Amino acid sequence: MRRFSTIPCSSRLSSIGSYVQLIESNGRDRLLAQGRKLHAHLVTSGISRLTKISAKLVSFYVECGKITDAKKVFDEMPKRDISGWVVMIGSCARNGYYQESLDVFKEMNREGLKLDAFIVPSVLKASRDLLDQEFGRMMHCMILKCSFESDAFIVSSLIDMYSRFGEVENAREVFSDLSGQDLVVFNAMISGYANNNQADEALNLVQDMKLLGVKPDIITWNALIAGFSHIGNEEKVSEILETMCLDGYKADVVSWTSIISGLVYNFQNVKAFGAFKQMLAHGLCPNSATITTLLPACTTLANVKQGKEIHGYSVVSGLEGHGFVRSALLDMYGKCGFISEAMILFRKTLKKTTVTFNSMIFCYANHGLSDKAVELFDQMEATGERLDHLTFTAILTACSHGGLTDLGQKLFLLMQNKYRIEPRLEHYACMADLLGRAGRVAEAYEMIRAMPMEPDLFVWGALLGACRNHGNIELGRIAAERLAELEPENSGNRLLLSSLYANAGSWGSVVRMKKMIKKKKLSRLSGSSWVNTV
């Protein structure tokens, strides 16, 4: 005889609420084993078939990095309406599984479901972070077709996407087409300008919004601070801090973190530490972003003493366990030459994330420990941790430095075929270096010619270095010409070509090259170094 639940309705509803909280807690803390046990209990009790519970289980598995399990729960949902698709697509996009998010969206389209306004921002975010311009433009067309172009939240997401693509003009066009812009839309456009080194345009837009009666908030001011800090305009940053104070806003943690970030970006590392002390003096507690932003200053100065002080502060303040802080510490110790400390810190990390693995693989790669880097990459893959574009940049760097040419080529194909990660400029630069070091200069050049985007100075620089090492004058000249177009004021590349001519015994070319450098009054940056004893 079938047994029916005798739990009263109110009690049952209460237990469902408790289950929801438990699932959310397990997902937040990435407690996969506990979550699986809870899922098993929910299945046996029949509660897992409730749409609300199923949706929470989908989010739980995505947060734990188990996309296959999440998709299985999603496929087995008894009522897979649009809300289920919103959860699946949104969870993937929020947790960095951008390609998976787009794949699920495409599946939804194939099933003929109508586009929902709640899904659009997640899909635009995925397109933005994948730098998938083609898909992003297709989404824009769908938005227009569904008449969502008057939705301020969707418009803000579009502006953000185009700004990340570096297409500020398109972002401005989307902004201008919306009648009656609110604060959220203004902030999106101001951030777009600020993040693309157009801080003056961002400031002009703030003046315009004031004239329209829209009052700037702390997000507006912080966007301006970030923009002017990034371009190194310290005077303007000071002016904005004064203006926002008069407007009733005090600089917060985000404001100071942006200032520190700008100083570090512009190699004003001593000033960055000074700004950090000022922040503390104002009674503000740095967050994980502040620590992550400041630590690279230690690597630039090769000052592990200050790095250890910041490490100590992060321990006392409880920030050391944060994934990005732990990864920044690994990077700092590695770049300062303290690989043993980095290894100990990595081993002590209980919850290893994609970012943590990436940092350690980079550490091994940059210290020539290619075998350890490959071993860790294999471990990362075996544990099911998400591999992203930085993972492959790190492992391809390791293969290049270790002379693992065949493995590097296999991983380059694996990245595209299995993990569906489209190669970026940094991947092509790694491959050019990998093939060049192996003496396969012509093959490297053919790969560069077949690139779907314009090669940058790192790609051509890798080829020029390989040409010098292997005496290929013809391709070396081509690489040097491309570098001259990208960096017309830098004489270093021409001097490298001159060295190539000298190695080949072409002294006439050497003389002509040096005369040209002198005639154009080109210069190169003088080197400097620090020796810091601990």
Side-chain angles (χ1 to χ4, degrees):
M1 185 176 176
R2 188 179 173 188
R3 294 180 63 189
F4 291 90
S5 173
T6 56
I7 300 174
C9 185
S10 59
S11 300
R12 188 173 176 81
L13 286 172
S14 175
S15 66
I16 290 168
S18 300
Y19 284 134
V20 166
Q21 290 177 0
L22 271 173
I23 297 168
E24 288 177 344
S25 175
N26 288 332
R28 193 166 48 248
D29 297 331
R30 293 166 63 104
L31 301 175
L32 181 61
Q34 285 183 221
R36 285 195 192 281
K37 288 178 184 177
L38 178 59
H39 185 186
H41 168 72
L42 294 171
V43 170
T44 56
S45 62
I47 297 176
S48 67
R49 295 186 63 80
L50 294 173
T51 303
K52 187 174 183 179
I53 294 292
S54 295
K56 290 298 177 183
L57 285 169
V58 167
S59 297
F60 160 73
Y61 280 117
V62 173
E63 286 172 356
C64 290
K66 300 297 178 183
I67 302 299
T68 305
D69 292 332
K71 190 66 169 61
K72 186 178 178 182
V73 173
F74 174 68
D75 290 337
E76 292 175 354
M77 286 176 72
K79 186 184 176 185
R80 207 165 74 163
D81 57 11
I82 195 66
S83 63
W85 293 95
V86 171
V87 170
M88 186 69 200
I89 294 169
S91 296
C92 287
R94 273 196 311 277
N95 289 281
Y97 295 96
Y98 305 121
Q99 189 58 58
E100 290 81 356
S101 180
L102 297 189
D103 290 343
V104 176
F105 176 75
K106 290 172 186 175
E107 184 185 340
M108 186 190 89
N109 267 350
R110 285 194 295 270
E111 292 198 8
L113 288 170
K114 188 179 178 183
L115 183 65
D116 186 88
F118 288 104
I119 286 176
V120 175
S122 297
V123 178
L124 291 176
K125 173 181 168 60
S127 303
R128 179 198 72 185
D129 289 343
L130 286 172
L131 296 178
D132 192 336
Q133 293 167 292
E134 184 180 349
F135 197 91
R137 292 192 184 96
M138 185 204 75
M139 277 303 302
H140 191 177
C141 293
M142 292 181 72
I143 288 166
L144 294 173
K145 188 177 178 180
C146 295
S147 302
F148 290 153
E149 69 274 15
S150 59
D151 186 308
F153 193 49
I154 289 175
V155 169
S156 299
S157 299
L158 267 175
I159 292 169
D160 190 39
M161 181 190 75
Y162 278 123
S163 299
R164 180 68 69 87
F165 292 163
E167 300 175 11
V168 187
E169 296 81 6
N170 287 338
R172 182 64 196 234
E173 191 175 330
V174 171
F175 171 82
S176 300
D177 286 345
L178 180 68
S179 58
Q181 296 95 340
D182 62 7
L183 180 60
V184 175
V185 177
F186 267 108
N187 282 344
M189 192 65 241
I190 290 163
S191 296
Y193 278 130
N195 293 333
N196 282 277
N197 296 327
Q198 297 184 37
D200 288 319
E201 289 293 334
L203 185 58
N204 291 338
L205 192 56
V206 172
Q207 306 302 332
D208 292 343
M209 70 185 279
K210 284 182 175 180
L211 292 174
L212 291 169
V214 181
K215 190 173 184 278
D217 64 0
I218 189 66
I219 296 172
T220 318
W221 294 116
N222 282 340
L224 290 176
I225 289 169
F228 282 107
S229 295
H230 189 74
I231 61 174
N233 193 334
E234 296 175 39
E235 185 179 340
K236 204 69 177 177
V237 171
S238 298
E239 286 180 22
I240 292 166
L241 287 170
E242 290 178 11
T243 307
M244 69 185 281
C245 191
L246 292 172
D247 205 39
Y249 293 98
K250 289 184 178 180
D252 61 6
V253 175
V254 178
S255 314
W256 282 102
T257 300
S258 296
I259 292 168
I260 292 166
S261 176
L263 292 168
V264 173
Y265 180 81
N266 290 287
F267 303 104
Q268 300 294 319
N269 298 305
V270 175
K271 288 184 178 180
F273 286 109
F276 181 72
K277 290 174 183 176
Q278 273 186 274
M279 178 183 178
L280 294 173
H282 279 81
L284 293 169
C285 295
N287 59 19
S288 58
T290 316
I291 302 298
T292 305
T293 299
L294 186 60
L295 279 168
C298 304
T299 65
T300 306
L301 293 171
N303 191 336
V304 78
K305 184 181 178 182
Q306 280 187 309
K308 285 185 174 181
E309 288 175 1
I310 297 169
H311 187 179
Y313 178 85
S314 68
V315 172
V316 172
S317 59
L319 295 171
E320 191 213 22
H322 191 282
F324 286 103
V325 173
R326 183 63 64 95
S327 301
L329 286 166
L330 287 171
D331 185 64
M332 182 272 295
Y333 281 121
K335 287 181 177 175
C336 288
F338 288 78
I339 190 71
S340 297
E341 279 79 355
M343 290 168 69
I344 292 167
L345 192 62
F346 180 78
R347 280 197 291 267
K348 287 168 66 177
T349 304
L350 298 177
K351 296 178 183 177
K352 296 179 177 68
T353 64
T354 299
V355 181
T356 319
F357 272 107
N358 288 352
S359 296
M360 197 64 228
I361 294 171
F362 268 120
C363 280
Y364 285 140
N366 293 329
H367 282 80
L369 301 171
S370 302
D371 291 340
K372 284 187 176 294
V374 173
E375 184 184 332
L376 190 58
F377 175 84
D378 291 340
Q379 181 188 331
M380 182 181 182
E381 196 174 23
T383 58
E385 194 60 56
R386 180 173 61 92
L387 278 63
D388 62 10
H389 70 281
L390 287 174
T391 312
F392 283 97
T393 303
I395 195 61
L396 289 174
T397 301
C399 291
S400 176
H401 291 181
L404 306 174
T405 311
D406 292 339
L407 178 61
Q409 287 185 297
K410 287 178 184 176
L411 291 172
F412 186 64
L413 293 174
L414 181 79
M415 174 182 77
Q416 299 169 70
N417 298 332
K418 182 178 178 180
Y419 293 99
R420 304 181 65 191
I421 298 172
E422 289 298 316
R424 302 189 181 191
L425 283 166
E426 55 266 33
H427 300 128
Y428 283 111
C430 287
M431 289 304 295
D433 189 51
L434 179 83
L435 294 169
R437 286 175 187 244
R440 294 155 66 174
V441 182
E443 191 177 339
Y445 177 61
E446 288 305 316
M447 182 203 68
I448 292 171
R449 287 183 62 191
M451 284 173 59
M453 74 279 285
E454 284 297 315
D456 64 0
L457 58 94
F458 296 105
V459 176
W460 288 118
L463 182 65
L464 179 56
C467 290
R468 180 202 174 192
N469 292 336
H470 296 282
N472 193 318
I473 293 178
E474 183 184 351
L475 292 181
R477 188 183 294 115
I478 292 171
E481 286 171 359
R482 298 293 180 271
L483 284 165
E485 292 170 6
L486 293 168
E487 289 186 304
E489 302 301 320
N490 186 359
S491 69
N493 301 314
R494 291 180 174 85
L495 288 172
L496 197 60
L497 182 60
S498 175
S499 176
L500 173 58
Y501 286 141
N503 291 341
S506 181
W507 297 107
S509 298
V510 172
V511 172
R512 283 194 297 274
M513 183 62 65
K514 289 189 174 180
K515 281 183 178 178
M516 187 268 287
I517 292 171
K518 189 175 181 181
K519 183 180 178 181
K520 291 192 175 183
K521 298 180 180 178
L522 300 176
S523 61
R524 58 177 173 173
L525 294 172
S526 55
S528 60
S529 63
W530 288 267
V531 176
N532 195 293
T533 56
V534 180

Short mmCIF file of all heavy atoms in Angstrom, two decimals, residues 441 445 460-484 493-494 496-498 500-501 513:
data_model
loop_
_atom_site.label_atom_id
_atom_site.label_comp_id
_atom_site.label_asym_id
_atom_site.label_seq_id
_atom_site.Cartn_x
_atom_site.Cartn_y
_atom_site.Cartn_z
N VAL A 441 59.92 28.36 -37.30
CA VAL A 441 59.59 29.77 -37.48
C VAL A 441 58.58 29.96 -38.61
O VAL A 441 57.63 30.76 -38.48
CB VAL A 441 60.87 30.60 -37.75
CG1 VAL A 441 60.53 32.07 -37.90
CG2 VAL A 441 61.88 30.40 -36.63
N TYR A 445 54.85 31.64 -38.46
CA TYR A 445 54.41 32.75 -39.32
C TYR A 445 53.10 32.40 -40.03
O TYR A 445 52.19 33.24 -40.12
CB TYR A 445 55.49 33.09 -40.34
CG TYR A 445 55.09 34.18 -41.31
CD1 TYR A 445 54.76 35.46 -40.85
CD2 TYR A 445 55.02 33.93 -42.68
CE1 TYR A 445 54.38 36.46 -41.73
CE2 TYR A 445 54.65 34.92 -43.58
CZ TYR A 445 54.33 36.19 -43.09
OH TYR A 445 53.94 37.18 -43.97
N TRP A 460 53.91 39.47 -32.73
CA TRP A 460 55.01 39.78 -33.64
C TRP A 460 56.34 39.77 -32.90
O TRP A 460 57.38 39.38 -33.46
CB TRP A 460 54.79 41.14 -34.32
CG TRP A 460 53.70 41.15 -35.34
CD1 TRP A 460 52.55 41.87 -35.32
CD2 TRP A 460 53.67 40.38 -36.55
NE1 TRP A 460 51.79 41.61 -36.43
CE2 TRP A 460 52.45 40.71 -37.21
CE3 TRP A 460 54.53 39.46 -37.15
CZ2 TRP A 460 52.09 40.15 -38.44
CZ3 TRP A 460 54.17 38.90 -38.37
CH2 TRP A 460 52.97 39.24 -39.00
N GLY A 461 56.34 40.19 -31.64
CA GLY A 461 57.57 40.19 -30.84
C GLY A 461 58.10 38.78 -30.63
O GLY A 461 59.32 38.54 -30.70
N ALA A 462 57.18 37.82 -30.40
CA ALA A 462 57.59 36.42 -30.24
C ALA A 462 58.21 35.90 -31.52
O ALA A 462 59.23 35.19 -31.50
CB ALA A 462 56.39 35.57 -29.86
N LEU A 463 57.62 36.27 -32.67
CA LEU A 463 58.17 35.82 -33.96
C LEU A 463 59.53 36.44 -34.23
O LEU A 463 60.46 35.75 -34.68
CB LEU A 463 57.19 36.17 -35.08
CG LEU A 463 57.63 35.71 -36.48
CD1 LEU A 463 57.69 34.19 -36.56
CD2 LEU A 463 56.71 36.26 -37.56
N LEU A 464 59.67 37.75 -33.94
CA LEU A 464 60.96 38.42 -34.17
C LEU A 464 62.06 37.80 -33.31
O LEU A 464 63.17 37.57 -33.79
CB LEU A 464 60.83 39.92 -33.88
CG LEU A 464 62.10 40.76 -34.06
CD1 LEU A 464 62.66 40.62 -35.46
CD2 LEU A 464 61.82 42.23 -33.74
N GLY A 465 61.75 37.52 -32.05
CA GLY A 465 62.73 36.89 -31.17
C GLY A 465 63.16 35.53 -31.70
O GLY A 465 64.35 35.17 -31.67
N ALA A 466 62.18 34.76 -32.23
CA ALA A 466 62.49 33.44 -32.78
C ALA A 466 63.35 33.56 -34.03
O ALA A 466 64.29 32.77 -34.25
CB ALA A 466 61.20 32.70 -33.10
N CYS A 467 63.04 34.57 -34.87
CA CYS A 467 63.83 34.79 -36.09
C CYS A 467 65.28 35.13 -35.76
O CYS A 467 66.21 34.67 -36.43
CB CYS A 467 63.21 35.92 -36.92
SG CYS A 467 61.63 35.47 -37.68
N ARG A 468 65.46 35.92 -34.71
CA ARG A 468 66.83 36.27 -34.30
C ARG A 468 67.58 35.02 -33.83
O ARG A 468 68.74 34.81 -34.16
CB ARG A 468 66.78 37.31 -33.18
CG ARG A 468 68.17 37.72 -32.70
CD ARG A 468 68.10 38.29 -31.30
NE ARG A 468 69.45 38.54 -30.80
CZ ARG A 468 69.73 38.82 -29.54
NH1 ARG A 468 68.76 38.85 -28.65
NH2 ARG A 468 70.96 39.04 -29.13
N ASN A 469 66.91 34.20 -33.01
CA ASN A 469 67.56 33.01 -32.45
C ASN A 469 67.88 31.96 -33.51
O ASN A 469 68.84 31.19 -33.36
CB ASN A 469 66.67 32.38 -31.37
CG ASN A 469 66.55 33.27 -30.15
OD1 ASN A 469 67.42 34.11 -29.88
ND2 ASN A 469 65.47 33.12 -29.40
N HIS A 470 67.09 31.95 -34.60
CA HIS A 470 67.28 30.91 -35.62
C HIS A 470 67.74 31.46 -36.97
O HIS A 470 67.76 30.73 -37.96
CB HIS A 470 65.98 30.11 -35.79
CG HIS A 470 65.60 29.34 -34.55
ND1 HIS A 470 66.20 28.16 -34.18
CD2 HIS A 470 64.71 29.63 -33.57
CE1 HIS A 470 65.68 27.73 -33.04
NE2 HIS A 470 64.77 28.60 -32.64
N GLY A 471 68.07 32.77 -36.99
CA GLY A 471 68.69 33.35 -38.18
C GLY A 471 67.81 33.48 -39.40
O GLY A 471 68.31 33.42 -40.53
N ASN A 472 66.50 33.69 -39.20
CA ASN A 472 65.60 33.85 -40.34
C ASN A 472 65.42 35.34 -40.63
O ASN A 472 64.55 36.01 -40.05
CB ASN A 472 64.25 33.18 -40.04
CG ASN A 472 63.39 33.04 -41.28
OD1 ASN A 472 63.30 33.94 -42.10
ND2 ASN A 472 62.74 31.88 -41.40
N ILE A 473 66.24 35.86 -41.55
CA ILE A 473 66.25 37.30 -41.83
C ILE A 473 64.96 37.75 -42.50
O ILE A 473 64.39 38.79 -42.17
CB ILE A 473 67.46 37.68 -42.71
CG1 ILE A 473 68.76 37.48 -41.92
CG2 ILE A 473 67.35 39.12 -43.21
CD1 ILE A 473 70.01 37.78 -42.71
N GLU A 474 64.48 36.97 -43.46
CA GLU A 474 63.30 37.35 -44.23
C GLU A 474 62.07 37.56 -43.34
O GLU A 474 61.42 38.61 -43.39
CB GLU A 474 63.01 36.28 -45.29
CG GLU A 474 61.83 36.64 -46.19
CD GLU A 474 61.50 35.52 -47.16
OE1 GLU A 474 62.27 34.56 -47.26
OE2 GLU A 474 60.43 35.62 -47.82
N LEU A 475 61.76 36.55 -42.51
CA LEU A 475 60.60 36.68 -41.62
C LEU A 475 60.86 37.67 -40.50
O LEU A 475 59.94 38.34 -40.02
CB LEU A 475 60.22 35.31 -41.04
CG LEU A 475 59.67 34.29 -42.04
CD1 LEU A 475 59.31 32.98 -41.33
CD2 LEU A 475 58.42 34.85 -42.74
N GLY A 476 62.14 37.79 -40.09
CA GLY A 476 62.50 38.77 -39.07
C GLY A 476 62.21 40.18 -39.53
O GLY A 476 61.72 41.02 -38.76
N ARG A 477 62.49 40.45 -40.81
CA ARG A 477 62.22 41.77 -41.38
C ARG A 477 60.72 42.06 -41.39
O ARG A 477 60.28 43.17 -41.05
CB ARG A 477 62.79 41.86 -42.80
CG ARG A 477 62.72 43.27 -43.39
CD ARG A 477 63.22 43.31 -44.83
NE ARG A 477 64.64 43.01 -44.90
CZ ARG A 477 65.16 41.93 -45.49
NH1 ARG A 477 64.35 41.03 -46.03
NH2 ARG A 477 66.46 41.73 -45.54
N ILE A 478 59.92 41.05 -41.75
CA ILE A 478 58.46 41.22 -41.77
C ILE A 478 57.93 41.53 -40.36
O ILE A 478 57.13 42.45 -40.17
CB ILE A 478 57.78 39.95 -42.33
CG1 ILE A 478 58.10 39.78 -43.81
CG2 ILE A 478 56.26 40.01 -42.13
CD1 ILE A 478 57.65 38.44 -44.39
N ALA A 479 58.41 40.75 -39.38
CA ALA A 479 57.97 40.96 -37.99
C ALA A 479 58.36 42.34 -37.50
O ALA A 479 57.58 43.03 -36.84
CB ALA A 479 58.57 39.88 -37.09
N ALA A 480 59.60 42.77 -37.82
CA ALA A 480 60.08 44.09 -37.39
C ALA A 480 59.25 45.21 -38.01
O ALA A 480 58.96 46.22 -37.35
CB ALA A 480 61.55 44.25 -37.75
N GLU A 481 58.86 45.04 -39.28
CA GLU A 481 58.03 46.06 -39.95
C GLU A 481 56.66 46.18 -39.27
O GLU A 481 56.15 47.29 -39.08
CB GLU A 481 57.86 45.69 -41.42
CG GLU A 481 59.12 45.93 -42.26
CD GLU A 481 58.99 45.37 -43.67
OE1 GLU A 481 57.92 44.78 -43.98
OE2 GLU A 481 59.94 45.50 -44.45
N ARG A 482 56.08 45.04 -38.93
CA ARG A 482 54.77 45.08 -38.26
C ARG A 482 54.89 45.72 -36.87
O ARG A 482 54.01 46.48 -36.46
CB ARG A 482 54.21 43.65 -38.11
CG ARG A 482 53.95 42.96 -39.44
CD ARG A 482 52.83 43.62 -40.22
NE ARG A 482 52.59 42.96 -41.48
CZ ARG A 482 53.21 43.26 -42.62
NH1 ARG A 482 54.11 44.24 -42.64
NH2 ARG A 482 52.94 42.61 -43.74
N LEU A 483 55.97 45.42 -36.19
CA LEU A 483 56.19 46.01 -34.86
C LEU A 483 56.41 47.52 -34.97
O LEU A 483 55.98 48.28 -34.10
CB LEU A 483 57.38 45.35 -34.17
CG LEU A 483 57.10 43.95 -33.59
CD1 LEU A 483 58.40 43.24 -33.27
CD2 LEU A 483 56.24 44.04 -32.34
N ALA A 484 57.08 47.93 -36.03
CA ALA A 484 57.32 49.37 -36.24
C ALA A 484 56.00 50.11 -36.45
O ALA A 484 55.85 51.27 -36.03
CB ALA A 484 58.24 49.58 -37.44
N ASN A 493 62.86 47.00 -31.10
CA ASN A 493 62.59 45.98 -32.12
C ASN A 493 63.55 46.11 -33.30
O ASN A 493 63.99 45.11 -33.86
CB ASN A 493 61.14 46.11 -32.60
CG ASN A 493 60.14 45.94 -31.47
OD1 ASN A 493 60.26 45.02 -30.67
ND2 ASN A 493 59.17 46.84 -31.38
N ARG A 494 63.88 47.36 -33.65
CA ARG A 494 64.83 47.57 -34.75
C ARG A 494 66.23 47.12 -34.34
O ARG A 494 67.00 46.62 -35.17
CB ARG A 494 64.81 49.03 -35.17
CG ARG A 494 63.50 49.47 -35.85
CD ARG A 494 63.56 50.93 -36.23
NE ARG A 494 62.39 51.34 -37.00
CZ ARG A 494 61.23 51.73 -36.48
NH1 ARG A 494 61.08 51.70 -35.15
NH2 ARG A 494 60.22 52.09 -37.25
N LEU A 496 66.80 44.70 -32.32
CA LEU A 496 66.76 43.24 -32.38
C LEU A 496 66.97 42.76 -33.81
O LEU A 496 67.70 41.78 -34.05
CB LEU A 496 65.40 42.75 -31.85
CG LEU A 496 65.30 41.28 -31.45
CD1 LEU A 496 66.28 40.94 -30.34
CD2 LEU A 496 63.87 40.96 -30.99
N LEU A 497 66.37 43.47 -34.77
CA LEU A 497 66.56 43.13 -36.18
C LEU A 497 68.02 43.38 -36.59
O LEU A 497 68.61 42.60 -37.34
CB LEU A 497 65.61 43.95 -37.06
CG LEU A 497 65.65 43.69 -38.57
CD1 LEU A 497 65.31 42.23 -38.87
CD2 LEU A 497 64.70 44.63 -39.32
N SER A 498 68.59 44.47 -36.07
CA SER A 498 70.00 44.77 -36.34
C SER A 498 70.89 43.65 -35.84
O SER A 498 71.87 43.26 -36.49
CB SER A 498 70.37 46.10 -35.67
OG SER A 498 71.74 46.36 -35.80
N LEU A 500 70.02 40.56 -35.56
CA LEU A 500 69.80 39.45 -36.48
C LEU A 500 70.68 39.60 -37.72
O LEU A 500 71.30 38.63 -38.17
CB LEU A 500 68.31 39.40 -36.87
CG LEU A 500 67.88 38.40 -37.95
CD1 LEU A 500 68.24 36.97 -37.55
CD2 LEU A 500 66.38 38.50 -38.20
N TYR A 501 70.74 40.83 -38.25
CA TYR A 501 71.61 41.09 -39.40
C TYR A 501 73.07 40.82 -39.06
O TYR A 501 73.82 40.23 -39.85
CB TYR A 501 71.47 42.55 -39.87
CG TYR A 501 70.18 42.87 -40.59
CD1 TYR A 501 69.51 44.09 -40.37
CD2 TYR A 501 69.63 41.99 -41.51
CE1 TYR A 501 68.33 44.40 -41.03
CE2 TYR A 501 68.44 42.29 -42.17
CZ TYR A 501 67.81 43.50 -41.93
OH TYR A 501 66.64 43.81 -42.58
N MET A 513 70.49 50.19 -40.60
CA MET A 513 69.50 50.15 -39.52
C MET A 513 69.86 51.16 -38.43
O MET A 513 69.00 51.90 -37.94
CB MET A 513 69.41 48.74 -38.94
CG MET A 513 68.36 48.55 -37.86
SD MET A 513 66.67 48.85 -38.43
CE MET A 513 66.48 47.53 -39.62
#
